[in-house]
Amino acid sequence: MKKTPINQQLVDQNIAKLRIDHVGQASIREIVALVNLVEEAGSEKFIRMEMGVPGLPPAQVGTEAEIEALQSGVASKYPMMDGIKPLKEEASRFIKLFMDVDVSPAGCIPTVGSMQGTYAALLVASNVDPKKDTALFIDPGFPVQKQQMLVMGHHYETFDVFNYRGAKLREKLEEFLSQGNINSIIYSNPNNPSWICFTEQELQIIGELANKYDVIVMEDLAYFGMDFRKDLYTPGKPPYQPTVARYTNNYVLFVSSSKIFSYAGQRCGMMIISDALFNRDYDNLKTRFQSNTFGNSIVLRVLYTLSSGTSHSAQYALAAMFKAASDGKFNFINDVREYSEKAKIMKSIFQKHGFYIVYEKDGDELVGDGFYFTIAYPTMTGEELLANLLYYGVSAITLKNTGSEKEGLRACVSHVQRSQFDDLDKRLEQFAADFPVN
């Protein structure tokens, strides 16, 4: 047994303790639990890249607004189910200024994080038409959204977009949509885990096919504006955050405060539903939820039963952050640029020691540096790579967990400190020496 930075027996004992049959197939939370146990029992700290959590302080403008709201007594009052008026208005304004998309405040709904928003939207979309009982995920993607489908007992299909970029995307989507059973298309942009960003051509293809086959597009914008290859922060002026909303009215957007504002702990995001979809009647929703319209089914049936509203004080925080950004007083993109700078350095360290980037290109352009990147090592599957790297004190999740067909790992940069870069370099140097590539 090789001597590694982390005691191998300690890792194996805790894998057994958590009853993880195959560590390479472990969920994000299982890897988190495993690394926590190993760190508690030993003296060495991990280079932790497994969980996509913010690693920066929360936006001060939000914290101050929430404190003020709490001091005014909002904690004793239930908020309106569809959100407080200032937040709805500022969300509508934010979407206009940073996406150049018009949506009424009525369709801007606060949710308990985007997680609750996607759950509600997926649930309602799965019931708009009895013949359309299946959702389609453009992978790789956020694994927990598929867990939501599992919990609901609903059907879904997936495909890895790696080989279907550009014009090829149309044919692949048609392959699924032409069957007539797809109710929605789900993806993230920028993408978790690959950090690819759909081009305007690809977004237009998705929008046009959504119109043709009457399916709902769910666009997860958890990393809004974080394609750092271009400056997406100038309120009211291009370039804007790319979106399918320019090509279809059948859309639901999810804007999270967790990453762009580092406000994850208060669990407050926004679900943005187009005016056309929000007010659209579906006969089957009347049967299923006793509520005709898509918007009312989400707000007054699903969200009401899930949580009876979103944190009152956090809504004031999010309203203040949207307002400051739209007023040009809060450049949230510059605030999170640290992720891009760390990713660039970390990628170079991995590549120095024989690793390679899996999702490397957006068309002819290199994928940007951001919150995530993808890595692989010659001769190893993703599961083997994760299992081996744990002994070297490096944690991540496999790409297979995200719906990817590629071998490798998703690496998140947010909780890796710059002070750990030298340690990462040394551990990967030893790893490469112990697993030489011939």
Side-chain angles (χ1 to χ4, degrees), residues 102-346:
D102 292 298
V103 62
S104 300
C108 300
I109 314 298
T111 59
V112 184
S114 288
M115 282 287 296
Q116 189 196 38
T118 56
Y119 190 100
L122 288 166
L123 177 57
V124 174
S126 295
N127 286 280
V128 297
D129 185 336
K131 298 187 295 295
K132 294 182 175 181
D133 63 352
T134 303
L136 176 62
F137 288 86
I138 301 180
D139 278 338
F142 184 36
V144 189
Q145 289 171 344
K146 298 185 188 74
Q147 285 186 35
Q148 292 179 329
M149 297 296 287
L150 178 68
V151 169
M152 287 185 278
H154 290 170
H155 303 296
Y156 66 87
E157 297 277 359
T158 74
F159 72 94
D160 187 340
V161 77
F162 186 90
N163 292 317
Y164 303 101
R165 300 300 305 272
K168 295 178 183 177
L169 182 60
R170 184 183 298 274
E171 183 179 352
K172 188 63 178 176
L173 284 173
E174 290 253 23
E175 180 185 319
F176 288 95
L177 298 179
S178 62
Q179 297 175 34
N181 66 330
I182 301 298
N183 57 61
S184 54
I185 300 171
I186 304 96
Y187 60 86
S188 56
N189 193 42
N191 177 265
N192 170 8
S194 68
W195 210 249
I196 61 172
C197 295
F198 283 130
T199 64
E200 286 296 325
Q201 178 195 25
E202 291 165 336
L203 292 169
Q204 183 173 355
I205 288 169
I206 295 170
E208 287 174 354
L209 293 180
N211 294 335
K212 178 179 178 180
Y213 292 98
D214 194 20
V215 300
I216 298 164
V217 183
M218 300 187 192
E219 189 171 73
D220 187 345
L221 299 168
Y223 309 94
F224 191 105
M226 289 171 65
D227 181 0
F228 298 107
R229 294 171 299 184
K230 45 196 165 188
D231 183 2
L232 298 174
Y233 180 85
T234 309
K237 295 183 180 179
Y240 298 104
Q241 164 67 41
T243 178
V244 76
R246 296 196 185 91
Y247 306 106
T248 182
N249 285 322
N250 294 338
Y251 68 80
V252 183
L253 314 178
F254 303 98
V255 179
S256 170
S257 65
S258 296
K259 308 306 190 302
I260 62 173
F261 299 145
S262 300
Y263 221 74
Q266 299 310 84
R267 310 308 303 128
C268 188
M270 294 299 297
M271 175 165 37
I272 311 295
I273 307 173
S274 75
D275 294 355
L277 181 59
F278 188 86
N279 294 305
R280 182 171 171 181
D281 285 310
Y282 288 93
D283 290 340
N284 201 59
L285 294 184
K286 181 68 172 178
T287 302
R288 178 67 175 81
F289 297 116
Q290 298 179 10
S291 177
N292 290 62
T293 67
F294 188 87
N296 282 345
S297 295
I298 281 186
V299 177
L300 300 178
R301 294 296 184 264
V302 178
L303 291 179
Y304 185 29
T305 56
L306 285 174
S307 66
S308 193
T310 302
S311 166
H312 207 163
S313 59
Q315 290 191 48
Y316 283 95
L318 187 50
M321 291 184 284
F322 280 148
K323 184 178 189 306
S326 296
D327 288 347
K329 297 177 180 178
F330 171 33
N331 191 328
F332 62 96
I333 293 174
N334 271 351
D335 280 9
V336 295
R337 197 172 293 277
E338 170 68 0
Y339 297 133
S340 173
E341 294 170 1
K342 288 202 296 185
K344 184 176 182 179
I345 296 168
M346 290 172 64

